[in-house]
Each structure stands twice: as C-alpha cells, then as structure tokens.
C-alpha cells in the first residue's frame, strides 16, 4: 500500500505545475483524497480534498480558483493542477487518502505520499 507523489519543481510566478499522486497496492475508489502542503517554518495545511462518494471538491481560500484537484479512477491517480502560482505557494506538497473531507482537508488519513517540493521563484 503506497502513494507516490511527483511533479514538483521550480516554476516562475504565474506559472503552472501539475502534481500527481499514484496509488499502488490498493484502489482509490473507496477513499477521499487530499493534498496538503508545508512551507518552511509553517504548519502543514490542507489545500484541497476530493470526495470519492460524489466527486465533490473543496479548496482552501488561498488556492481557490487557481488549483484543481481531480482523480483518474482507472489509473488510481489523483492530480493537483496548480495555475497562477505565487511565491507563497512554495512548499512540500503531500497527498493522503482518508475517510471524509472536512472543508478542504481529508481526515482520518490512511496513507501518505512522500512529498514533492514546489518552488515558485523568479
């Protein structure tokens, strides 16, 4: 049972990145999935969550309108499309499976990806 996050990198302000979170050894159909981030010196925060029940999506105010979470159930992969990136989006991004989305955060987590670094800088 493993989540593999990828897609991070260095991007200029205003640019875009797409993060991927691939599940292996289990099926994502029965889990809610969230993306978190942790910036240097700050606490980890939930940025997006997608419900497995109905596909509803939830975002933090800081990313709403710029980030999109989606899921490919056939590939058991969750994506986070990040547009109009800002320097304050710089962080290590983590995906996690769980049971329930509370606002923009997945709860009762069951598995975590290893994190992928996103750096937004000119």
């Amino acid at each position: 049972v493993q989540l593999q996050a990828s897609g991070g990198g260095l991007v200029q302000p205003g640019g875009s990145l797409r993060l991927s979170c691939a599940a292996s050894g289990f099926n994502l159909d029965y889990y809610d999935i969230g993306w978190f981030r942790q910036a240097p010196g700050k606490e980890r925060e939930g940025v997006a969550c997608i419900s497995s029940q109905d596909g509803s999506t939830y975002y933090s105010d800081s990313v709403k309108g710029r980030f999109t979470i989606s899921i490919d159930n056939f590939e058991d992969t969750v994506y986070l499309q990040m547009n109009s990136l800002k320097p304050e989006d710089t962080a290590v991004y983590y995906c996690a499976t769980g049971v329930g989305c509370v606002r923009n955060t997945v709860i009762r987590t069951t598995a975590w990806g290893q994190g992928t670094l996103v750096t937004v800088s000119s």
Side-chain angles (χ1 to χ4, degrees):
V1 176
Q2 189 175 14
L3 291 173
Q4 182 72 36
S6 61
L10 174 63
V11 63
Q12 291 187 342
S16 298
L17 280 176
R18 188 177 77 158
L19 306 183
S20 300
C21 177
S24 61
F26 68 106
N27 194 304
L28 286 178
D29 288 356
Y30 306 107
Y31 295 94
D32 302 309
I33 303 101
W35 284 96
F36 296 79
R37 67 185 181 187
Q38 187 165 21
K42 295 188 177 181
E43 292 187 355
R44 187 176 61 198
E45 62 170 342
V47 297
C49 190
I50 185 165
S51 168
S52 62
Q53 288 189 339
D54 59 7
S56 295
T57 56
Y58 308 88
Y59 301 94
S60 65
D61 289 342
S62 61
V63 307
K64 194 174 297 181
R66 300 188 297 122
F67 290 12
T68 302
I69 186 171
S70 62
I71 185 168
D72 183 332
N73 289 105
F74 183 76
E75 297 290 340
D76 283 322
T77 300
V78 177
Y79 300 98
L80 186 69
Q81 177 67 44
M82 306 186 296
N83 299 328
S84 302
L85 283 161
K86 305 175 181 180
E88 51 264 42
D89 295 318
T90 295
V92 178
Y93 284 73
Y94 301 88
C95 56
T97 54
V99 182
C101 290
V102 175
R103 297 182 183 176
N104 48 272
T105 302
V106 69
I107 60 170
R108 289 177 282 174
T109 56
T110 56
W112 286 85
Q114 84 285 9
T116 184
L117 176 62
V118 172
T119 303
V120 184
S121 175
S122 55

